[in-house]
Amino acid sequence: MEMEKGMGMEMRAREDIEIGEDITPPIPPLSYALHHSFLHSHCYSCFSPLPLPLNSNYNNTKNHHHYYYCSPACSTTRVVSTEELRILQSHHHHPFSSDLRAALRFLQSHPDDRIAGLLTNCHKLLLQEDDEFAATIREGAKAIATATDMASASAALCLVLTNGVEVQDYDGRNLGIAVYPKNFSWINHSCSPNASYHFFLSPPPPCCPNSTKLRILPQHTVLTKDDEVCQDNGPKIVVRSIKRIKQGEQVTVTYTNLLQPKEISSASLDASSVSSDQNVYRDYAIRRLTDYIDDAILQYLSFGDPELCCEKLENLLTQGLLYEQLEGGEVKSQPTIKLHPLHFLCLNAYTTLASAYKVRASDLLGLYSEMDEHLLEALDLSRTSAAYSLLLAGATHHLFRFESSLIATVANFWISAGDSLLTLSRSPAWSEFAKWDLPIANPPLLKHICSKCSLMDNFKAILFHREAQNADFEDISSEFLDCVTIITQKVWSFLIPGCCYLRAFKDPIDFSWLGTSKYSSLRDVRPHLCCTAEGHLQERMHIFQLGVHCLLYGGYLASICYGRHSNLTSQVQNILDCEECLINDSHESD
């Protein structure tokens, strides 16, 4: 029988939990299903990438459905039933294809307790007889009702739709759907969560042993051993603290993107023309701006035109959009709508612009690797890409200072900014300055260790000795901001000469000017163009130093969110190892 919402369906800390600690052991799913588009590239059981070549000894390569396993262990623990095979073959175009297979597997693996203490929301999802969504659910339930009765099939499918989590790989791709037991599914949503979760798509590393105790419990219900231990196959999930949590405090995660827009700012907006129906105009403006940005991104991702994408996005950011007359309404003036620099749509535009400029630079180097003027143009594109990456990280970090639950997002953006800056520092276009008899070789760049902060030492300590400590967080963050602010002031004007929008930002790290008179008339930063070879070498050194700092801090934040052996932390380590930034003998102390 389904439990009513509010009757103990929440999880609270059993003990005091510091920031950056695992709250749960790796939790196997109750049921799961790989999305159809990944059947040929990922294991049908654990969702990890398939090794090549495929081993026919434990992969059924003769049948036309072609689902594969990564190992003999996965092939024996994830047995596909006849009913699941039928769904896999005949309903792969159904909107809920993965959910159907997950629901069917849930029914098959829980014949005695078909709800498992989870909420189904059947009464809400199936309430409207003529609702298209409800009709799709009923159609899907019929597909799996051959293995059970219609009521159980509908309940199982609604349960998956209500409790299912999109399993993501390290690149953020949604690989499949999984339903986890009460010790995860009862963790509620918050817009300011104190925990996050991540997945293990293979056996957990030594730092996360299965013997790790469950550090949360429901408020009004006692968990049984069956709640804490279930089947040991499938993609596992781990919940980890991103804030300090007191004993008895409710543990929460977010179900949504915390950077989603909540409001829009406008410039040159005639209040008399919109005051009568402000909400309508604001919603219309958001739709218009969203459509414009989506169309620009489509030019880049689907039509392969990053240059047009850059042009459209920068026109929007710089000039805004004229407020078109609403159908059936009367607008006396045509005010210009501009996005706030920290608005979600702006952050989305920064992300796209950083990627598009990087692709343009790479394409140019690939086509004209030996032509001087094109090398310099590629350098201009690369530094604009790095500038947008840095602006994105700085803007998001400003939000992070007020909402610490953005830590995972900020970690990714700082790592991306660091990688972009190091890529710029290694650009072959710098070889143009060798004409001035300047030594441009890499060795001076590869031995940088900052004497003003402890980021390098702390990151190495996390990698090889211990987890991040809450007591270190404020000091490390303060040291990082002090260093990057100083270095950014030395390179920002060099990064932005080709972009009018970027020149409006005096500092991409410090956003304290927001809400002041400076915001109404952003200062246009005069581009600084070095005319000496020595100046270019110094700028290259500063860019490299800035990139190292961004990577180290992003890696430090990632270790808090995901643990010191996470893929993202390892990515930072690999980049820095390539730059010979980490001392070799530190590996020996692991």
Side-chain angles (χ1 to χ4, degrees), residues 403-526:
E403 179 47 71
S404 59
S405 55
L406 290 171
I407 185 170
T409 302
V410 174
N412 277 280
F413 287 159
W414 279 123
I415 292 172
S416 295
D419 191 26
S420 182
L421 288 162
L422 287 188
T423 299
L424 173 61
S425 74
R426 295 191 302 265
S427 172
W430 292 97
S431 62
E432 284 301 292
F433 304 122
K435 295 176 179 179
W436 301 324
D437 297 323
L438 179 71
I440 301 294
N442 286 331
L445 298 176
L446 301 179
K447 300 298 181 182
H448 166 74
I449 296 180
C450 181
S451 60
K452 298 180 180 179
C453 70
S454 58
L455 269 175
M456 183 69 75
D457 291 337
N458 275 283
F459 188 70
K460 288 189 296 183
I462 289 169
L463 287 178
F464 307 119
H465 303 292
R466 61 175 175 81
E467 296 283 359
Q469 301 295 313
N470 181 65
D472 301 335
F473 181 76
E474 293 296 334
D475 290 341
I476 292 175
S477 296
S478 179
E479 286 182 353
F480 165 73
L481 286 178
D482 288 344
C483 281
V484 297
T485 298
I486 293 172
I487 303 172
T488 299
Q489 291 172 354
K490 298 176 181 179
V491 302
W492 181 243
S493 57
F494 172 77
L495 296 175
I496 62 172
C499 180
C500 178
Y501 179 73
L502 291 173
R503 290 203 301 270
F505 294 87
K506 181 181 180 181
D507 188 337
I509 306 298
D510 181 9
F511 282 80
S512 59
W513 46 266
L514 287 174
T516 68
S517 58
K518 293 181 180 180
Y519 175 55
S520 60
S521 56
L522 295 179
R523 177 177 177 179
D524 189 15
V525 180
R526 183 179 298 277

Side-chain angles (χ1 to χ4, degrees), residues 101-155:
R101 287 182 277 123
L104 179 62
R105 184 164 179 80
F106 182 87
L107 289 171
Q108 294 171 338
S109 58
H110 296 79
D112 299 325
D113 183 12
R114 292 194 168 181
I115 300 303
L118 303 182
L119 191 71
T120 68
N121 271 330
C122 272
H123 60 292
K124 294 181 179 179
L125 297 178
L126 299 175
L127 183 62
Q128 301 295 330
E129 291 291 335
D130 58 347
D131 183 75
E132 183 178 352
F133 185 75
T136 305
I137 295 177
R138 295 189 184 92
E139 178 188 349
K142 289 179 181 178
I144 60 176
T146 55
T148 183
D149 59 275
M150 186 64 180
S152 296
S154 298

Side-chain angles (χ1 to χ4, degrees), residues 97-406:
S97 173
S98 304
D99 302 282
L100 292 180
R101 287 182 277 123
L104 179 62
R105 184 164 179 80
F106 182 87
L107 289 171
Q108 294 171 338
S109 58
H110 296 79
D112 299 325
D113 183 12
R114 292 194 168 181
I115 300 303
L118 303 182
L119 191 71
T120 68
N121 271 330
C122 272
H123 60 292
K124 294 181 179 179
L125 297 178
L126 299 175
L127 183 62
Q128 301 295 330
E129 291 291 335
D130 58 347
D131 183 75
E132 183 178 352
F133 185 75
T136 305
I137 295 177
R138 295 189 184 92
E139 178 188 349
K142 289 179 181 178
I144 60 176
T146 55
T148 183
D149 59 275
M150 186 64 180
S152 296
S154 298
L157 183 54
C158 289
L159 181 145
V160 171
L161 293 172
T162 300
N163 299 278
V165 180
E166 285 284 357
V167 178
Q168 294 185 332
D169 66 4
Y170 303 122
D171 296 322
R173 294 179 300 176
N174 293 331
L175 300 179
I177 194 81
V179 176
Y180 293 93
K182 290 184 287 186
N183 47 21
F184 174 78
S185 292
W186 281 15
I187 299 176
N188 288 323
H189 163 81
S190 172
C191 289
S192 181
N194 53 25
S196 63
Y197 58 87
H198 60 279
F199 300 95
F200 284 124
L201 306 183
S202 58
C207 63
C208 295
N210 287 321
S211 59
T212 301
K213 67 177 182 179
L214 187 69
R215 304 172 70 184
I216 53 176
L217 74 169
Q219 184 177 16
H220 303 298
T221 307
V222 177
L223 290 178
T224 66
K225 290 184 178 180
D226 291 337
D227 291 320
E228 298 196 28
V229 181
C230 52
Q231 60 182 347
D232 196 34
N233 58 304
K236 299 175 179 63
I237 195 168
V238 172
V239 182
R240 191 170 173 87
S241 62
I242 57 174
K243 298 177 182 177
R244 180 179 292 173
I245 305 174
K246 296 181 179 179
Q247 182 180 5
E249 182 180 350
Q250 184 177 180
V251 175
T252 57
V253 296
T254 182
Y255 299 164
T256 62
N257 187 338
L258 294 176
L259 289 176
Q260 286 289 349
K262 294 180 175 59
E263 61 179 293
I264 190 171
S265 298
S266 60
S268 305
L269 186 61
D270 184 358
S272 63
S273 66
V274 298
S275 58
S276 62
D277 205 352
Q278 189 172 5
N279 289 334
V280 173
Y281 283 95
R282 183 175 62 248
D283 293 343
Y284 176 73
I286 292 175
R287 290 196 304 271
R288 283 262 293 131
L289 292 164
T290 301
D291 290 344
Y292 187 94
I293 291 176
D294 288 345
D295 180 67
I297 295 175
L298 185 67
Q299 296 291 330
Y300 171 38
L301 297 180
S302 298
F303 302 128
D305 194 343
E307 185 173 0
L308 180 59
C309 171
C310 293
E311 180 182 345
K312 295 186 70 171
L313 288 180
E314 287 179 332
N315 282 341
L316 172 66
L317 294 174
T318 305
Q319 303 173 14
L321 289 180
L322 284 177
Y323 216 119
E324 292 184 348
Q325 182 174 345
L326 290 173
E327 184 177 356
E330 294 184 0
V331 180
K332 297 180 180 179
S333 63
Q334 294 290 318
T336 300
I337 304 302
K338 285 188 176 181
L339 286 166
H340 189 284
L342 300 181
H343 191 276
F344 172 79
L345 292 177
C346 262
L347 301 181
N348 194 19
Y350 302 158
T351 305
T352 304
L353 285 164
S355 174
Y357 271 106
K358 184 176 182 179
V359 168
R360 291 174 62 187
S362 178
D363 290 346
L364 204 59
L365 287 173
L367 290 174
Y368 306 104
S369 59
E370 297 181 358
M371 298 180 65
D372 297 350
E373 66 273 16
H374 290 102
L375 282 177
L376 292 177
E377 183 181 352
L379 183 65
D380 287 342
L381 295 172
S382 293
R383 54 183 173 174
T384 302
S385 171
Y388 273 116
S389 292
L390 187 59
L391 176 61
L392 175 64
T396 312
H397 189 90
H398 178 79
L399 300 175
F400 170 58
R401 295 172 65 182
F402 298 95
E403 179 47 71
S404 59
S405 55
L406 290 171

Side-chain angles (χ1 to χ4, degrees), residues 36 83-101 139-144 146:
H36 197 273
E83 292 84 1
E84 184 177 352
L85 178 58
R86 177 180 56 80
I87 297 294
L88 187 63
Q89 293 174 331
S90 60
H91 289 78
H92 58 273
H93 293 303
H94 192 279
F96 299 148
S97 173
S98 304
D99 302 282
L100 292 180
R101 287 182 277 123
E139 178 188 349
K142 289 179 181 178
I144 60 176
T146 55

